[in-house]
Every structure is written in C-alpha cells, then in structure tokens.
Amino acid sequence: MTNKFSNSYKSVPDKEGHFGIFGGRYVAETLMPLILQVEESYAQAKSDPEFSNELKYYLEHYVGRPSPLYFASRLTEFFGGAKVYFKRDELNHTGAHKINNCIGQILLARRMGKKRIIAETGAGQHGVATATVCALFGLECVIYMGAKDIERQAPNVFRMKLLGAEVIPVKSGTSTLKDAMNEALRDWVSSVDNTYYLIGTVAGPHPYPAMVRDFQSIIGQEVREQILKSEGRLPDTLVACIGGGSNAIGLFYDFLDETDINLIGVEAAGHGIKTGKHAASLNGGVPGVLHGNRTYLLQDDDGQILDAHSISAGLDYPGIGPEHSWLHDVGRVNYVSVQDSEALESFKLCSRLEGIIPALEPAHALSHVGRIAPKLPGDHILVVNMCGRGDKDVFTVADSLGVVI
Amino acid sequence: MNEVTTGRIEKKFKFLKKEGRAAFVPFIMAADPTLDLSLDILKGLPAAGADIIELGVLFSDPMADGPSIQAAGLRAKSAGANLRQTLSMVREFRKVDDVTPIILMGYYNPIYIYGNEKFLIDAKNSGVDGLIVVDLPPEEDKELCLPALKKGLHFIRLATPTTDENRISTVLNNTSGFVYYVSIAGVTGSKSASSEEVHSAVKNIKKYTELPIAVGFGIKTPEQAAIVSRAADAAVVGSAIVKVIEDNIDETGTPSDNLVDTVLEFVSSLSKGVRESR
C-alpha cells in the first residue's frame, strides 16, 4: 500500500503539526507563545547529543529499559494458533509505559527552566509517572484528575500524594479525563511564566502528539531488536490498546513503513458501540476539534463533546491522538474495538495462565488477540503491548465481579 | 480583501468617537438560563447601555473560561441550546434592533461541525457582525478567519499579556473590527489586571494598529469598567453579568421573577461606569 502524502508514513506531521487534516494548534492565544517555545526547545533538544545521552541514562537506570519481550507460551497454547509475545512495558518503573514520555518531557522542562509541572491523568498512571519524575528532579507537581476517576483509582491517588504531588479533583463537566485536561489547560493559561504542561498522551496541540510519540517509539525499536534476536525475523502482527494512543503509536511507529506488518489498534467499546456508552472515537466518532487538535471525537450533531465510557479509566476519553486518526483514514492501521466484558475475561485469563495481572487497558488488546490468534498459523508472530500492570485495577475488577475486598 | 461588511461595528465606533467615550460590551451566553429569558435579556441590552453585544455560543469544553461562564454553559445546555438556535436568536433580535453589533463568541468545534461555509452564510444572514473564536490562533487562519473576512464578517482576534513584540504583528494580521485585549493571563472571571498594566498594554498595541481596542477578562464592577474605559476603546464584561443570572436562580433551577430586570439593572450600572469615565 502506498501513501498519497509521501512514500513514508513517517513524514508527518508537517511543520504546522498537521497529520493530513488532523492535528494542528487549536489553542487560545495566551498559550500560543508557550507552545511555540516548547516546539523550539524540543527541536533543539532532539539534535543535542547531551539530551539523548541523558534520556538514555534515565531510561536504562531509572525506568529499567529495555523491557523484556516475553513469549507467552501458555496463552499461545491456549489460543492454539499464532505465537503470542508480550512487550512487557508493565515492568517499567511505575508500572506502565507512561514513564517513557515523562522522563523525556521532564528533561525538556528542566532545559526550559520550568519549576512547576502540571499534568492531567485518567487512570492515574500518567499522574503517578509525572509525580515520580517531579520527585526525582525536585520540581513542584500538580495533577488534575476527574473526581470520578479519583474514586475508582484510589491507590494511584495515594501514590501520587506519597510522591509529593498535589492532586486536584476536577468536578467540572463529566469529572473524567477530558475535564482534567480542560482544567490543566486552564491552569496553564493562568501560570504561563513558570509552568510546564506535561501531556501524557499523543494528543493536544503540536508539538505534543509528535513529541510524545518520539519518546514512546523506543517500545517498537526495542521490539525490533528483540524479535530479531529470538525469532530471526520481524513480527507479522502488532496489537495495542488505544485511549489517546501513546502506547500504540510507541509500538507501531518503528514499523509503519514495513507495510506487510499488520498493525491493529484496539479501542474501548464499553457496553458496546451501539449503546452509545463507549470510548471508541474512530469506530464511533467523527472528526472535530478539541484540546488543541483536530481528530476523531465522540460528539453530537451540534459539536458538543459526549461522555466516553470504559471500564478502563485510561481509555475513557472521547478523542484519540491525531496521528491515529490519520493512520485510520489512510488505512495503514486497522482499528477495532473490544467491550468491557471481553476485557474483564482477558484480565482473568492472563492472570491465571501467565501469572501476569494486566491493566484493564492492555486487557482490551489481549481480547482482540484472543479473537485472531486461534485462526492464525503456528508460525505467525504476534506482539501485544502489555503497556501496564493491573494492580491499580483490582478494586474495579472485584467490583465488576461482585466481589467485596 | 473584505467584502463589504454590515458596517455596524465601524459605525458604532465612529459614533462613539464623536461622543468621546468608550464602548460598553456585555457578554451573555445564548439560552442562559432559558431560551426565552435569554432573548429577553438580549433585547433589553441596548436600552441598558450596551454598545456592542457578545453572544456566547455553547461548547461543552470551554477551556478558556472560568467557573461562572462554565456554569452559564451548563444552564444553556440544559435549556437545549445549540448553534442553530443561537443564530435564530440573533434573527429575532434583529427584528427589533438593526444597529447594535453582535459578535458571536465561542470555540471552534460547534462551527466546524455546523460546516464552516454554511455557518458563515447563515451567520451573516442572521445579522451577526463578527466572530471571536477562542481556539483559532493566527496559525490556523485558513480554516475560518480568511473565509469569514471574505464573506464580510469581522474576525476579532485576542491579544494577551503573552503576546510579545515578535508576535503582535502576527496576531493583528487579518484581525478586523476591533482587537480584543485579554488583560490577564488566565481564564474568564478570575483575577483583574491593574489599571497601569491595562493602560500600557493598550498603548503598546496602538503602536501597531489603528483598530479600536477592547479590553476584557477580569472587569467586574462599574469602577473597574470606568478605569479600563479611560485607556481602551471598549470594555467587555462577561463573568460578572452571568454571575447575576446564576444568583437569581434558586436551588431547584427556577429563575426568579425579576431575573431579566436584575440583570439589565446591573448592565446599566456597568454602562454608566463606562459612560461617566471620561
């Protein structure tokens, strides 16, 4: 398949931050100078070997990279088809892929001389990762989190506080991730001089989608090296869950131009797309403009953003990163969806068969693997991104199963 | 490059220049607290001293707005507001007033979903004079700003305390009608800028443009409106007005009988502040 914009899927975004019609910089004027400053500083950092070395140092010695590529033999046997590998980003420090991006951005914020860090969080994984790097470098940290998410992710809230962050409950709108992002943007508008906004996913105004992707793309780079070592060839299929889409783009990016590799993104279908209670922006939304970029959004016919729903707080967002919208439209990545109930089954299955309690987010990806792996031949190599561990979700899962802990 | 505009904004500022005073510009959210009451308030604004009116367009995620205007949006939402209805409200207003300029203020997504081309035609035909779209910076001018200017609608840009000397010409390029100076780095209805800050900022922008300069964000009282009016060509008040609406609704969501009058009285007091400032 060829791409009409250029002969590489890696040629986006353009210098204005557009991925085809998606992306861009739709922010209030107050923020524009800051965003241009972030862009300039990031461009400088990217070409500075000192920055790369520093990043490499922390990824290796603090985060614990590379994360293993693990052959899930019992699940493979259970599915009875493709060989299933887990990219084990849940073994990173703080238990998810989020820290890859946080280390990168905190080093940038330091270069920019910023003393105060703000971030939004849904499941709390990005909040924990941000609070962690702020503790590491002694920076003030303020985390905005939807009041509803605070309730369902209590352990992560406590973690953030232990790490010295201030967690501000957001009660506006629907009290979830999108509202936390609104509130973080409001904070940023009001504290432009000393504050850096550490966005947790491949969304927001340019340069964030491209920058977060760059910091996460180490996932795919490692997979390439590791699979060549263990199998002597590249994988056939890569699968990752999608909320904003940072772990997915991190896994996919290095392989975008190898078009014989299937790339599958798994959205959260909540109670089912037809019920309207879901978080599948690509499969159930239309393009619109929110949080600084144009992308697929769940919205009504007046352009009002709708509530997303997913059992997984990390996928509970009515939008998706603009690069995914573009990859969807050009057809390079296949985006499917998985319901709450299916994800719960995979959560249990993976825990029992592999001794790995996955986060509810990658449990979605695993559900789709369960659909396709049995039909694939035994020499088909499939890699799924185990992007977070499930400790944070045990209360939610127990509740769904009717168990009182 | 513009097609002929309705000219209401130009005429208004010409008239005010003769009068030797600044414009008073109230903001209300369309359909707050209900469609009918909002239309009553809108129709009453000119007599209460409004020279130009900013009419808020509902958006579920108003990133630049503080709690008061967020709450106004929620009330408008429960009243069933949408962009189509807001335009029909302007048409109703135009039946009784063909001179007071109306600026629609809001965020881009509802317009984008309505369809840019169709929106510009319908807005113009409804009697809208200009647009303020908070999340469309000059970098995205091709989207709506240039087509709006071509259709004869003013595109009023925000300049802010973070707009430095390097950026001011970018911001002023393609701006028409007037320039809206956001006097604080913050959301609507939060802190207020000092009169010195406002005066020097307005003076600075005047170096680069001959357009009138309106100042808003953080103006809450007739006294503050008066101070701003001494330096600027217009003073915008939003949050403080919608707060009066909020204060006249009881816990069950029922508006008080004299809500419209109370709001218009407050608007009168603000406008008096502007009128008596020079």
Side-chain angles (χ1 to χ4, degrees):
Chain A
M1 183 173 54
T2 56
N3 148 17
K4 63 181 169 173
F5 296 93
S6 113
N7 52 13
S8 171
Y9 287 102
K10 296 182 183 175
S11 62
V12 286
D14 66 15
K15 65 180 184 11
E16 303 295 330
H18 294 114
F19 302 83
I21 68 158
F22 301 105
R25 284 178 287 217
Y26 300 88
V27 295
E29 175 58 28
T30 314
L31 292 181
M32 267 317 292
L34 276 92
I35 281 164
L36 295 172
Q37 204 183 57
V38 171
E39 185 184 343
E40 197 189 320
S41 306
Y42 177 56
Q44 281 169 4
K46 228 162 87 165
S47 58
D48 181 352
E50 209 175 296
F51 182 79
S52 318
N53 288 338
E54 210 180 357
L55 181 61
K56 215 173 136 193
Y57 172 84
Y58 285 103
L59 287 177
E60 183 180 338
H61 298 283
Y62 191 71
V63 175
R65 301 210 73 92
S67 69
L69 183 69
Y70 162 74
F71 175 55
S73 61
R74 292 196 69 207
L75 262 181
T76 297
E77 196 184 327
F78 178 82
F79 291 141
K83 288 178 90 164
V84 178
Y85 280 86
F86 287 174
K87 177 57 176 168
R88 299 207 51 196
D89 256 49
E90 100 279 13
L91 291 177
N92 294 338
H93 180 41
T94 72
H97 70 290
K98 292 289 184 189
I99 189 97
N100 303 332
N101 165 49
C102 287
I103 288 283
Q105 284 198 55
I106 203 80
L107 294 176
L108 181 67
R110 269 162 54 92
R111 278 171 78 100
M112 293 175 71
K114 302 292 183 183
K115 302 279 182 238
R116 178 173 176 268
I117 306 296
I118 56 170
E120 83 294 338
T121 196
Q125 290 303 101
H126 175 58
V128 168
T130 303
T132 299
V133 296
C134 287
L136 175 64
F137 291 109
L139 298 171
E140 185 188 344
C141 180
V142 176
I143 304 291
Y144 289 92
M145 188 168 184
K148 199 169 126 191
D149 290 336
I150 284 184
E151 214 172 278
R152 56 180 170 175
Q153 300 288 346
N156 272 345
V157 176
F158 186 61
R159 247 170 235 142
M160 285 183 264
K161 288 180 179 168
L162 276 177
L163 291 160
E166 183 188 355
V167 181
I168 300 183
V170 176
K171 290 176 189 136
S172 60
T174 54
S175 308
T176 58
L177 181 55
K178 87 174 170 79
D179 308 289
M181 201 151 178
N182 289 336
E183 216 51 46
L185 284 164
R186 289 182 187 120
D187 178 314
W188 207 21
V189 165
S190 316
S191 60
V192 288
D193 292 333
N194 66 344
T195 299
Y196 180 90
Y197 182 14
L198 208 164
I199 295 183
T201 190
V202 284
H206 180 62
Y208 284 96
M211 175 168 68
V212 176
R213 172 198 72 196
D214 291 349
F215 289 136
Q216 291 294 358
S217 60
I218 189 163
I219 299 173
Q221 290 159 17
E222 287 176 5
V223 166
R224 178 184 295 273
E225 228 172 81
Q226 291 165 324
I227 201 80
L228 284 175
K229 212 167 170 189
S230 59
E231 292 279 354
R233 68 175 183 91
L234 294 180
D236 300 294
T237 299
L238 304 177
V239 184
C241 64
I242 309 240
S246 70
N247 91 82
I249 207 77
L251 177 65
F252 298 163
Y253 190 68
D254 208 53
F255 300 97
L256 282 181
D257 285 334
E258 276 133 322
T259 51
D260 49 346
I261 299 179
N262 300 318
L263 306 178
I264 303 173
V266 184
E267 295 191 297
H271 296 319
I273 290 178
K274 283 184 194 150
T275 66
K277 286 194 165 305
H278 64 88
S281 321
L282 291 176
N283 286 293
V286 292
V289 174
L290 177 71
H291 294 152
N293 66 97
R294 186 187 345 254
T295 195
Y296 277 82
L297 298 170
L298 304 181
Q299 55 184 322
D300 68 14
D301 57 11
D302 188 45
Q304 307 300 327
I305 307 305
L306 298 173
D307 302 354
H309 167 83
S310 171
I311 189 170
S312 145
L315 304 180
D316 202 349
Y317 180 68
I320 182 167
E323 191 163 11
H324 287 292
S325 291
W326 180 73
L327 290 167
H328 171 70
D329 277 13
V330 299
R332 174 62 187 100
V333 179
N334 180 23
Y335 294 90
V336 299
S337 65
V338 157
Q339 298 189 14
D340 288 353
S341 53
E342 299 171 274
L344 275 171
E345 284 310 310
S346 301
F347 182 94
K348 290 190 279 183
L349 185 71
C350 185
S351 302
R352 285 206 194 135
L353 286 185
E354 293 292 350
I356 295 171
I357 300 177
L360 280 168
E361 291 81 7
H364 282 72
L366 208 52
S367 291
H368 188 68
V369 171
R371 290 174 187 160
I372 59 172
K375 298 177 212 152
L376 293 166
D379 60 352
H380 189 104
I381 302 171
L382 191 156
V383 178
V384 57
N385 200 4
M386 187 54 62
C387 62
R389 64 175 184 227
D391 311 39
K392 69 180 174 61
D393 292 316
V394 293
F395 295 102
T396 306
V397 172
D399 191 46
S400 298
L401 300 176
V403 177
V404 180
I405 304 183
Chain B
M1 61 179 292
N2 298 15
E3 262 182 35
V4 184
T5 66
T6 55
R8 289 189 196 98
I9 295 180
E10 294 87 336
K11 277 182 210 153
K12 182 62 78 173
F13 277 110
K14 224 170 169 184
F15 164 79
L16 290 167
K17 203 165 185 186
K18 244 188 267 167
E19 287 233 309
R21 66 174 177 89
F24 170 59
V25 187
F27 165 97
I28 57 167
M29 174 68 70
D32 171 30
T34 66
L35 293 168
D36 292 345
L37 291 176
S38 182
L39 185 58
D40 287 348
I41 294 170
L42 183 67
K43 285 179 175 169
L45 285 175
D51 296 301
I52 298 172
I53 296 167
E54 278 185 18
L55 187 60
V57 175
L58 173 69
F59 184 49
S60 50
D61 294 79
M63 279 120 30
D65 285 307
S68 294
I69 293 181
Q70 286 178 45
L74 289 176
R75 290 191 297 272
K77 192 181 174 194
S78 8
N82 61 49
L83 183 48
R84 209 170 305 274
Q85 225 156 41
T86 301
L87 292 177
S88 84
M89 209 173 139
V90 177
R91 283 197 298 275
E92 286 301 310
F93 175 80
R94 282 280 169 251
K95 287 180 187 165
V96 298
D97 184 318
D98 199 35
V99 294
T100 309
I102 290 198
I103 317 288
L104 292 188
M105 182 167 187
Y107 297 80
Y108 182 39
N109 197 51
I111 296 172
Y112 178 70
I113 294 303
Y114 191 98
N116 289 357
E117 177 76 15
K118 186 174 177 315
F119 167 75
L120 293 173
I121 294 168
D122 290 357
K124 180 89 198 261
N125 291 341
S126 302
V128 171
D129 299 284
L131 308 173
I132 299 176
V133 187
V134 177
D135 52 354
L136 275 181
E139 279 71 8
E140 308 290 349
D141 265 358
K142 278 182 291 184
E143 277 299 307
L144 190 70
C145 170
L146 297 180
L149 294 176
K150 232 174 141 188
K151 283 262 170 359
L153 281 167
H154 287 293
F155 200 87
I156 294 135
R157 187 106 60 205
L158 307 177
T160 72
T162 60
T163 311
D164 58 16
E165 302 283 327
N166 298 324
R167 193 168 162 78
I168 185 81
S169 53
T170 310
V171 167
L172 293 174
N173 188 28
N174 297 329
T175 302
S176 72
F178 58 89
V179 179
Y180 187 144
Y181 179 66
V182 172
S183 63
I184 48 139
V187 293
T188 52
S190 52
K191 52 200 170 183
S192 306
S194 73
S195 67
E196 292 78 31
E197 285 167 332
V198 171
H199 281 238
S200 84
V202 169
K203 215 168 132 193
N204 188 45
I205 300 171
K206 290 253 183 213
K207 284 193 292 191
Y208 298 89
T209 181
E210 299 194 337
L211 287 171
I213 296 168
V215 172
F217 282 45
I219 305 173
K220 293 166 189 158
T221 64
E223 293 71 32
Q224 287 172 326
I227 290 168
V228 164
S229 301
R230 282 181 206 122
D233 302 301
V236 187
V237 180
S239 297
I241 296 173
V242 302
K243 187 77 185 16
V244 175
I245 297 179
E246 183 177 325
D247 292 343
N248 278 274
I249 297 172
D250 68 18
E251 302 90 56
T252 65
T254 314
S256 71
D257 292 337
N258 55 356
L259 181 139
V260 174
D261 291 341
T262 312
V263 171
L264 293 176
E265 268 162 37
F266 180 61
V267 169
S268 288
S269 72
L270 291 164
S271 111
K272 216 173 266 168
V274 172
R275 277 160 207 264
E276 290 167 2
S277 68
R278 292 193 199 162

